[in-house]
Amino acid sequence: MEKWTELRTAYKLAKLGTLSATAQAIGVHRSTVMRHIDALEESLGIVLFQRNDKGYLPTEAGLEIMRLGEVTDNQFNNLSDRLQSREKPLQGTLTITMVNEVASVLMPTINQYQAQHPGMRMNIIGDLRNFKLEYGEADIAIRGGPKPETPDNIVLPLTTVEIVLCAHKSYIKKHGHPAKANLQKHRFIALNERPIHLPWNDWIYSNVDEERIILTTSATQILSHALFSGIGIGGMPKTLVTANRELVEIPVGEDWKLSLWTLVHRDMINMPKIRTFIDLLKQQTDWEINPL
């Protein structure tokens, strides 16, 4: 239906309430306003306004037209700013929070992002804490585990990471080759908390005697340093273990999969610096982004 002009007139009339105010707002004669409303009502086959001596009161259908018109009007008013922002080179800082072990998943996208937008700096926060996007503590959060239930954030699937236990060759040279049958004779490293979304960490606490867990920490980066220093057995993404000749996988008959999610606050996703990064990341997945 080609009635954009009439829809705009109906929106203004529903908002302003009188023919005179509407005519003045859109720069036409009162009779033109009446003609637009009559034509639209005839086209839709429904009454949009109740006429009385005080003006025009929108019916339920008229209120629906007003809501549609308000959204459309706002979109057109913001269109110029959005188009101009797309033409300007991106500059500033993009802050992403993630745990250290999944950084390798993001690095190809970060590399491509900065190649296309050299004015953008990246601030990566490697921390287990859930930073509050609504307070601007980060622009994007990468979180693992079950799908986050956060009504103010848009949650997008990123990938699934397989986690395995492994040891450095220097550890094996000193303590022997670990196997499922002799694990109680070996040394382990783990996080000092037991987050529900890290089942391999919980497995260590549930299957290894406490005295065999010889190093605990709150920082995953320290765990990585301990693992590569040959201090003990710990969990690592299988892709990293496979790619590093110094690491040896220790099969224990478990299948640990960690789902990764990308979180963006719904009020921020259309910021050019954020949307551009999300669109690049989307190319690696089957996301369907439709936040509006």
Side-chain angles (χ1 to χ4, degrees), residues 42-73:
E42 182 180 356
S43 176
L44 295 174
I46 193 169
V47 176
L48 299 176
F49 295 92
Q50 297 290 342
R51 286 80 163 170
N52 59 32
D53 55 355
K54 295 182 180 180
Y56 283 67
L57 297 177
T59 62
E60 193 65 33
L63 290 173
E64 191 65 31
I65 292 292
M66 184 173 72
R67 286 189 286 268
L68 173 62
E70 186 170 23
V71 171
T72 304
D73 197 44

PDB file of all heavy atoms in Angstrom, residues 42-73:
ATOM      1  N   GLU A  42     -10.403   4.821   4.209  1.00  0.00           N
ATOM      2  CA  GLU A  42     -11.053   4.079   3.122  1.00  0.00           C
ATOM      3  C   GLU A  42     -10.162   2.938   2.635  1.00  0.00           C
ATOM      4  O   GLU A  42     -10.636   1.826   2.376  1.00  0.00           O
ATOM      5  CB  GLU A  42     -11.360   5.027   1.969  1.00  0.00           C
ATOM      6  CG  GLU A  42     -12.087   4.345   0.806  1.00  0.00           C
ATOM      7  CD  GLU A  42     -12.391   5.296  -0.326  1.00  0.00           C
ATOM      8  OE1 GLU A  42     -12.115   6.515  -0.181  1.00  0.00           O
ATOM      9  OE2 GLU A  42     -12.913   4.842  -1.368  1.00  0.00           O
ATOM     10  N   SER A  43      -8.857   3.200   2.556  1.00  0.00           N
ATOM     11  CA  SER A  43      -7.935   2.167   2.091  1.00  0.00           C
ATOM     12  C   SER A  43      -7.829   1.016   3.076  1.00  0.00           C
ATOM     13  O   SER A  43      -7.796  -0.155   2.689  1.00  0.00           O
ATOM     14  CB  SER A  43      -6.553   2.784   1.860  1.00  0.00           C
ATOM     15  OG  SER A  43      -5.601   1.797   1.505  1.00  0.00           O
ATOM     16  N   LEU A  44      -7.804   1.341   4.364  1.00  0.00           N
ATOM     17  CA  LEU A  44      -7.683   0.308   5.387  1.00  0.00           C
ATOM     18  C   LEU A  44      -9.012  -0.351   5.727  1.00  0.00           C
ATOM     19  O   LEU A  44      -9.042  -1.452   6.271  1.00  0.00           O
ATOM     20  CB  LEU A  44      -7.070   0.906   6.666  1.00  0.00           C
ATOM     21  CG  LEU A  44      -5.619   1.414   6.570  1.00  0.00           C
ATOM     22  CD1 LEU A  44      -5.222   2.115   7.866  1.00  0.00           C
ATOM     23  CD2 LEU A  44      -4.671   0.256   6.289  1.00  0.00           C
ATOM     24  N   GLY A  45     -10.097   0.368   5.449  1.00  0.00           N
ATOM     25  CA  GLY A  45     -11.413  -0.172   5.774  1.00  0.00           C
ATOM     26  C   GLY A  45     -11.690  -0.155   7.263  1.00  0.00           C
ATOM     27  O   GLY A  45     -12.397  -1.037   7.780  1.00  0.00           O
ATOM     28  N   ILE A  46     -11.153   0.847   7.968  1.00  0.00           N
ATOM     29  CA  ILE A  46     -11.316   0.901   9.416  1.00  0.00           C
ATOM     30  C   ILE A  46     -11.297   2.361   9.856  1.00  0.00           C
ATOM     31  O   ILE A  46     -10.662   3.210   9.222  1.00  0.00           O
ATOM     32  CB  ILE A  46     -10.202   0.093  10.125  1.00  0.00           C
ATOM     33  CG1 ILE A  46     -10.549  -0.118  11.592  1.00  0.00           C
ATOM     34  CG2 ILE A  46      -8.838   0.750   9.971  1.00  0.00           C
ATOM     35  CD1 ILE A  46      -9.630  -1.114  12.271  1.00  0.00           C
ATOM     36  N   VAL A  47     -11.998   2.655  10.939  1.00  0.00           N
ATOM     37  CA  VAL A  47     -12.042   4.011  11.480  1.00  0.00           C
ATOM     38  C   VAL A  47     -10.819   4.234  12.351  1.00  0.00           C
ATOM     39  O   VAL A  47     -10.534   3.452  13.265  1.00  0.00           O
ATOM     40  CB  VAL A  47     -13.319   4.236  12.305  1.00  0.00           C
ATOM     41  CG1 VAL A  47     -13.300   5.624  12.951  1.00  0.00           C
ATOM     42  CG2 VAL A  47     -14.548   4.095  11.412  1.00  0.00           C
ATOM     43  N   LEU A  48     -10.093   5.308  12.072  1.00  0.00           N
ATOM     44  CA  LEU A  48      -8.877   5.607  12.824  1.00  0.00           C
ATOM     45  C   LEU A  48      -9.076   6.673  13.889  1.00  0.00           C
ATOM     46  O   LEU A  48      -8.303   6.733  14.849  1.00  0.00           O
ATOM     47  CB  LEU A  48      -7.772   6.064  11.869  1.00  0.00           C
ATOM     48  CG  LEU A  48      -7.340   5.052  10.793  1.00  0.00           C
ATOM     49  CD1 LEU A  48      -6.321   5.684   9.863  1.00  0.00           C
ATOM     50  CD2 LEU A  48      -6.781   3.798  11.434  1.00  0.00           C
ATOM     51  N   PHE A  49     -10.128   7.524  13.723  1.00  0.00           N
ATOM     52  CA  PHE A  49     -10.328   8.626  14.650  1.00  0.00           C
ATOM     53  C   PHE A  49     -11.808   8.798  14.968  1.00  0.00           C
ATOM     54  O   PHE A  49     -12.682   8.577  14.117  1.00  0.00           O
ATOM     55  CB  PHE A  49      -9.783   9.941  14.064  1.00  0.00           C
ATOM     56  CG  PHE A  49      -8.292   9.937  13.861  1.00  0.00           C
ATOM     57  CD1 PHE A  49      -7.753   9.548  12.645  1.00  0.00           C
ATOM     58  CD2 PHE A  49      -7.433  10.328  14.883  1.00  0.00           C
ATOM     59  CE1 PHE A  49      -6.390   9.538  12.449  1.00  0.00           C
ATOM     60  CE2 PHE A  49      -6.068  10.323  14.684  1.00  0.00           C
ATOM     61  CZ  PHE A  49      -5.534   9.918  13.473  1.00  0.00           C
ATOM     62  N   GLN A  50     -12.079   9.188  16.194  1.00  0.00           N
ATOM     63  CA  GLN A  50     -13.412   9.636  16.604  1.00  0.00           C
ATOM     64  C   GLN A  50     -13.400  11.155  16.614  1.00  0.00           C
ATOM     65  O   GLN A  50     -12.576  11.783  17.273  1.00  0.00           O
ATOM     66  CB  GLN A  50     -13.746   9.104  18.009  1.00  0.00           C
ATOM     67  CG  GLN A  50     -13.814   7.590  18.108  1.00  0.00           C
ATOM     68  CD  GLN A  50     -15.032   7.027  17.385  1.00  0.00           C
ATOM     69  OE1 GLN A  50     -15.991   7.752  17.092  1.00  0.00           O
ATOM     70  NE2 GLN A  50     -14.978   5.731  17.079  1.00  0.00           N
ATOM     71  N   ARG A  51     -14.338  11.758  15.838  1.00  0.00           N
ATOM     72  CA  ARG A  51     -14.378  13.210  15.750  1.00  0.00           C
ATOM     73  C   ARG A  51     -15.324  13.753  16.807  1.00  0.00           C
ATOM     74  O   ARG A  51     -16.429  13.241  16.992  1.00  0.00           O
ATOM     75  CB  ARG A  51     -14.875  13.677  14.381  1.00  0.00           C
ATOM     76  CG  ARG A  51     -13.905  13.542  13.225  1.00  0.00           C
ATOM     77  CD  ARG A  51     -13.822  12.164  12.660  1.00  0.00           C
ATOM     78  NE  ARG A  51     -13.198  12.147  11.322  1.00  0.00           N
ATOM     79  CZ  ARG A  51     -12.846  11.051  10.704  1.00  0.00           C
ATOM     80  NH1 ARG A  51     -13.068   9.854  11.255  1.00  0.00           N
ATOM     81  NH2 ARG A  51     -12.285  11.131   9.507  1.00  0.00           N
ATOM     82  N   ASN A  52     -14.900  14.800  17.501  1.00  0.00           N
ATOM     83  CA  ASN A  52     -15.802  15.512  18.423  1.00  0.00           C
ATOM     84  C   ASN A  52     -15.432  16.989  18.429  1.00  0.00           C
ATOM     85  O   ASN A  52     -14.529  17.412  17.711  1.00  0.00           O
ATOM     86  CB  ASN A  52     -15.733  14.907  19.832  1.00  0.00           C
ATOM     87  CG  ASN A  52     -14.341  14.946  20.434  1.00  0.00           C
ATOM     88  OD1 ASN A  52     -13.566  15.856  20.155  1.00  0.00           O
ATOM     89  ND2 ASN A  52     -14.008  13.951  21.249  1.00  0.00           N
ATOM     90  N   ASP A  53     -16.117  17.768  19.265  1.00  0.00           N
ATOM     91  CA  ASP A  53     -15.881  19.210  19.243  1.00  0.00           C
ATOM     92  C   ASP A  53     -14.521  19.609  19.806  1.00  0.00           C
ATOM     93  O   ASP A  53     -14.074  20.745  19.645  1.00  0.00           O
ATOM     94  CB  ASP A  53     -16.988  19.946  20.021  1.00  0.00           C
ATOM     95  CG  ASP A  53     -17.150  19.429  21.444  1.00  0.00           C
ATOM     96  OD1 ASP A  53     -16.463  18.439  21.805  1.00  0.00           O
ATOM     97  OD2 ASP A  53     -17.957  20.004  22.192  1.00  0.00           O
ATOM     98  N   LYS A  54     -13.847  18.695  20.475  1.00  0.00           N
ATOM     99  CA  LYS A  54     -12.512  18.989  21.017  1.00  0.00           C
ATOM    100  C   LYS A  54     -11.382  18.619  20.065  1.00  0.00           C
ATOM    101  O   LYS A  54     -10.235  18.953  20.294  1.00  0.00           O
ATOM    102  CB  LYS A  54     -12.325  18.266  22.346  1.00  0.00           C
ATOM    103  CG  LYS A  54     -13.265  18.743  23.445  1.00  0.00           C
ATOM    104  CD  LYS A  54     -12.983  18.015  24.758  1.00  0.00           C
ATOM    105  CE  LYS A  54     -13.922  18.507  25.861  1.00  0.00           C
ATOM    106  NZ  LYS A  54     -13.652  17.807  27.143  1.00  0.00           N
ATOM    107  N   GLY A  55     -11.701  17.857  19.036  1.00  0.00           N
ATOM    108  CA  GLY A  55     -10.665  17.470  18.100  1.00  0.00           C
ATOM    109  C   GLY A  55     -10.838  16.042  17.631  1.00  0.00           C
ATOM    110  O   GLY A  55     -11.959  15.539  17.530  1.00  0.00           O
ATOM    111  N   TYR A  56      -9.730  15.390  17.372  1.00  0.00           N
ATOM    112  CA  TYR A  56      -9.717  14.024  16.844  1.00  0.00           C
ATOM    113  C   TYR A  56      -9.064  13.093  17.870  1.00  0.00           C
ATOM    114  O   TYR A  56      -7.901  13.274  18.234  1.00  0.00           O
ATOM    115  CB  TYR A  56      -8.940  13.966  15.527  1.00  0.00           C
ATOM    116  CG  TYR A  56      -9.706  14.495  14.340  1.00  0.00           C
ATOM    117  CD1 TYR A  56     -10.037  15.850  14.246  1.00  0.00           C
ATOM    118  CD2 TYR A  56     -10.090  13.657  13.309  1.00  0.00           C
ATOM    119  CE1 TYR A  56     -10.741  16.343  13.161  1.00  0.00           C
ATOM    120  CE2 TYR A  56     -10.784  14.131  12.208  1.00  0.00           C
ATOM    121  CZ  TYR A  56     -11.106  15.473  12.140  1.00  0.00           C
ATOM    122  OH  TYR A  56     -11.802  15.955  11.059  1.00  0.00           O
ATOM    123  N   LEU A  57      -9.831  12.092  18.323  1.00  0.00           N
ATOM    124  CA  LEU A  57      -9.311  11.114  19.265  1.00  0.00           C
ATOM    125  C   LEU A  57      -9.028   9.810  18.536  1.00  0.00           C
ATOM    126  O   LEU A  57      -9.918   9.262  17.868  1.00  0.00           O
ATOM    127  CB  LEU A  57     -10.316  10.858  20.397  1.00  0.00           C
ATOM    128  CG  LEU A  57     -10.653  12.057  21.295  1.00  0.00           C
ATOM    129  CD1 LEU A  57     -11.707  11.661  22.313  1.00  0.00           C
ATOM    130  CD2 LEU A  57      -9.399  12.556  22.005  1.00  0.00           C
ATOM    131  N   PRO A  58      -7.812   9.292  18.614  1.00  0.00           N
ATOM    132  CA  PRO A  58      -7.500   8.055  17.891  1.00  0.00           C
ATOM    133  C   PRO A  58      -8.223   6.852  18.484  1.00  0.00           C
ATOM    134  O   PRO A  58      -8.324   6.715  19.705  1.00  0.00           O
ATOM    135  CB  PRO A  58      -5.981   7.925  18.047  1.00  0.00           C
ATOM    136  CG  PRO A  58      -5.654   8.704  19.279  1.00  0.00           C
ATOM    137  CD  PRO A  58      -6.640   9.834  19.328  1.00  0.00           C
ATOM    138  N   THR A  59      -8.731   6.005  17.615  1.00  0.00           N
ATOM    139  CA  THR A  59      -9.274   4.719  18.044  1.00  0.00           C
ATOM    140  C   THR A  59      -8.106   3.782  18.349  1.00  0.00           C
ATOM    141  O   THR A  59      -6.939   4.163  18.279  1.00  0.00           O
ATOM    142  CB  THR A  59     -10.153   4.112  16.946  1.00  0.00           C
ATOM    143  OG1 THR A  59      -9.325   3.870  15.791  1.00  0.00           O
ATOM    144  CG2 THR A  59     -11.283   5.056  16.555  1.00  0.00           C
ATOM    145  N   GLU A  60      -8.423   2.533  18.689  1.00  0.00           N
ATOM    146  CA  GLU A  60      -7.356   1.550  18.932  1.00  0.00           C
ATOM    147  C   GLU A  60      -6.479   1.417  17.691  1.00  0.00           C
ATOM    148  O   GLU A  60      -5.245   1.341  17.784  1.00  0.00           O
ATOM    149  CB  GLU A  60      -7.958   0.202  19.311  1.00  0.00           C
ATOM    150  CG  GLU A  60      -6.949  -0.779  19.891  1.00  0.00           C
ATOM    151  CD  GLU A  60      -6.389  -0.308  21.227  1.00  0.00           C
ATOM    152  OE1 GLU A  60      -7.113   0.342  22.006  1.00  0.00           O
ATOM    153  OE2 GLU A  60      -5.193  -0.579  21.461  1.00  0.00           O
ATOM    154  N   ALA A  61      -7.135   1.394  16.524  1.00  0.00           N
ATOM    155  CA  ALA A  61      -6.373   1.319  15.273  1.00  0.00           C
ATOM    156  C   ALA A  61      -5.562   2.588  15.057  1.00  0.00           C
ATOM    157  O   ALA A  61      -4.435   2.550  14.550  1.00  0.00           O
ATOM    158  CB  ALA A  61      -7.318   1.081  14.101  1.00  0.00           C
ATOM    159  N   GLY A  62      -6.117   3.725  15.431  1.00  0.00           N
ATOM    160  CA  GLY A  62      -5.397   4.979  15.304  1.00  0.00           C
ATOM    161  C   GLY A  62      -4.171   5.030  16.199  1.00  0.00           C
ATOM    162  O   GLY A  62      -3.121   5.564  15.807  1.00  0.00           O
ATOM    163  N   LEU A  63      -4.279   4.466  17.406  1.00  0.00           N
ATOM    164  CA  LEU A  63      -3.127   4.399  18.303  1.00  0.00           C
ATOM    165  C   LEU A  63      -2.031   3.517  17.724  1.00  0.00           C
ATOM    166  O   LEU A  63      -0.834   3.789  17.885  1.00  0.00           O
ATOM    167  CB  LEU A  63      -3.567   3.881  19.673  1.00  0.00           C
ATOM    168  CG  LEU A  63      -4.430   4.833  20.508  1.00  0.00           C
ATOM    169  CD1 LEU A  63      -4.930   4.133  21.764  1.00  0.00           C
ATOM    170  CD2 LEU A  63      -3.659   6.096  20.872  1.00  0.00           C
ATOM    171  N   GLU A  64      -2.440   2.450  17.027  1.00  0.00           N
ATOM    172  CA  GLU A  64      -1.461   1.571  16.396  1.00  0.00           C
ATOM    173  C   GLU A  64      -0.730   2.322  15.279  1.00  0.00           C
ATOM    174  O   GLU A  64       0.492   2.173  15.114  1.00  0.00           O
ATOM    175  CB  GLU A  64      -2.155   0.330  15.829  1.00  0.00           C
ATOM    176  CG  GLU A  64      -1.208  -0.773  15.392  1.00  0.00           C
ATOM    177  CD  GLU A  64      -0.431  -1.366  16.551  1.00  0.00           C
ATOM    178  OE1 GLU A  64      -0.964  -1.407  17.675  1.00  0.00           O
ATOM    179  OE2 GLU A  64       0.727  -1.760  16.321  1.00  0.00           O
ATOM    180  N   ILE A  65      -1.483   3.134  14.529  1.00  0.00           N
ATOM    181  CA  ILE A  65      -0.862   3.971  13.496  1.00  0.00           C
ATOM    182  C   ILE A  65       0.124   4.949  14.128  1.00  0.00           C
ATOM    183  O   ILE A  65       1.218   5.193  13.601  1.00  0.00           O
ATOM    184  CB  ILE A  65      -1.939   4.734  12.703  1.00  0.00           C
ATOM    185  CG1 ILE A  65      -2.776   3.775  11.852  1.00  0.00           C
ATOM    186  CG2 ILE A  65      -1.311   5.814  11.830  1.00  0.00           C
ATOM    187  CD1 ILE A  65      -2.020   3.135  10.715  1.00  0.00           C
ATOM    188  N   MET A  66      -0.249   5.511  15.282  1.00  0.00           N
ATOM    189  CA  MET A  66       0.627   6.467  15.957  1.00  0.00           C
ATOM    190  C   MET A  66       1.923   5.791  16.398  1.00  0.00           C
ATOM    191  O   MET A  66       3.017   6.357  16.255  1.00  0.00           O
ATOM    192  CB  MET A  66      -0.085   7.072  17.171  1.00  0.00           C
ATOM    193  CG  MET A  66       0.742   8.163  17.862  1.00  0.00           C
ATOM    194  SD  MET A  66      -0.156   9.044  19.164  1.00  0.00           S
ATOM    195  CE  MET A  66      -0.227   7.775  20.419  1.00  0.00           C
ATOM    196  N   ARG A  67       1.833   4.562  16.935  1.00  0.00           N
ATOM    197  CA  ARG A  67       3.044   3.851  17.360  1.00  0.00           C
ATOM    198  C   ARG A  67       3.944   3.543  16.169  1.00  0.00           C
ATOM    199  O   ARG A  67       5.166   3.697  16.226  1.00  0.00           O
ATOM    200  CB  ARG A  67       2.659   2.566  18.103  1.00  0.00           C
ATOM    201  CG  ARG A  67       2.116   2.818  19.517  1.00  0.00           C
ATOM    202  CD  ARG A  67       1.968   1.518  20.270  1.00  0.00           C
ATOM    203  NE  ARG A  67       0.830   0.756  19.803  1.00  0.00           N
ATOM    204  CZ  ARG A  67      -0.395   0.837  20.329  1.00  0.00           C
ATOM    205  NH1 ARG A  67      -0.629   1.676  21.337  1.00  0.00           N
ATOM    206  NH2 ARG A  67      -1.380   0.094  19.867  1.00  0.00           N
ATOM    207  N   LEU A  68       3.320   3.107  15.065  1.00  0.00           N
ATOM    208  CA  LEU A  68       4.090   2.825  13.855  1.00  0.00           C
ATOM    209  C   LEU A  68       4.747   4.098  13.324  1.00  0.00           C
ATOM    210  O   LEU A  68       5.919   4.102  12.936  1.00  0.00           O
ATOM    211  CB  LEU A  68       3.179   2.216  12.791  1.00  0.00           C
ATOM    212  CG  LEU A  68       3.788   2.003  11.400  1.00  0.00           C
ATOM    213  CD1 LEU A  68       4.950   1.017  11.476  1.00  0.00           C
ATOM    214  CD2 LEU A  68       2.732   1.536  10.411  1.00  0.00           C
ATOM    215  N   GLY A  69       3.996   5.185  13.317  1.00  0.00           N
ATOM    216  CA  GLY A  69       4.523   6.442  12.817  1.00  0.00           C
ATOM    217  C   GLY A  69       5.662   6.971  13.668  1.00  0.00           C
ATOM    218  O   GLY A  69       6.631   7.530  13.149  1.00  0.00           O
ATOM    219  N   GLU A  70       5.567   6.782  14.992  1.00  0.00           N
ATOM    220  CA  GLU A  70       6.617   7.266  15.881  1.00  0.00           C
ATOM    221  C   GLU A  70       7.927   6.526  15.631  1.00  0.00           C
ATOM    222  O   GLU A  70       8.992   7.138  15.561  1.00  0.00           O
ATOM    223  CB  GLU A  70       6.178   7.089  17.334  1.00  0.00           C
ATOM    224  CG  GLU A  70       7.152   7.698  18.330  1.00  0.00           C
ATOM    225  CD  GLU A  70       6.585   7.713  19.732  1.00  0.00           C
ATOM    226  OE1 GLU A  70       5.681   6.903  20.018  1.00  0.00           O
ATOM    227  OE2 GLU A  70       7.051   8.520  20.549  1.00  0.00           O
ATOM    228  N   VAL A  71       7.834   5.194  15.486  1.00  0.00           N
ATOM    229  CA  VAL A  71       9.035   4.409  15.200  1.00  0.00           C
ATOM    230  C   VAL A  71       9.640   4.830  13.871  1.00  0.00           C
ATOM    231  O   VAL A  71      10.857   5.039  13.749  1.00  0.00           O
ATOM    232  CB  VAL A  71       8.709   2.904  15.192  1.00  0.00           C
ATOM    233  CG1 VAL A  71       9.905   2.094  14.673  1.00  0.00           C
ATOM    234  CG2 VAL A  71       8.324   2.437  16.582  1.00  0.00           C
ATOM    235  N   THR A  72       8.797   4.976  12.846  1.00  0.00           N
ATOM    236  CA  THR A  72       9.284   5.347  11.517  1.00  0.00           C
ATOM    237  C   THR A  72       9.895   6.741  11.527  1.00  0.00           C
ATOM    238  O   THR A  72      10.956   6.972  10.933  1.00  0.00           O
ATOM    239  CB  THR A  72       8.128   5.296  10.503  1.00  0.00           C
ATOM    240  OG1 THR A  72       7.531   3.993  10.527  1.00  0.00           O
ATOM    241  CG2 THR A  72       8.630   5.589   9.098  1.00  0.00           C
ATOM    242  N   ASP A  73       9.232   7.668  12.225  1.00  0.00           N
ATOM    243  CA  ASP A  73       9.728   9.036  12.302  1.00  0.00           C
ATOM    244  C   ASP A  73      11.092   9.089  12.986  1.00  0.00           C
ATOM    245  O   ASP A  73      12.014   9.786  12.534  1.00  0.00           O
ATOM    246  CB  ASP A  73       8.722   9.905  13.059  1.00  0.00           C
ATOM    247  CG  ASP A  73       8.937  11.389  12.827  1.00  0.00           C
ATOM    248  OD1 ASP A  73       9.164  11.774  11.668  1.00  0.00           O
ATOM    249  OD2 ASP A  73       8.884  12.156  13.802  1.00  0.00           O
TER     250      ASP A  73
END
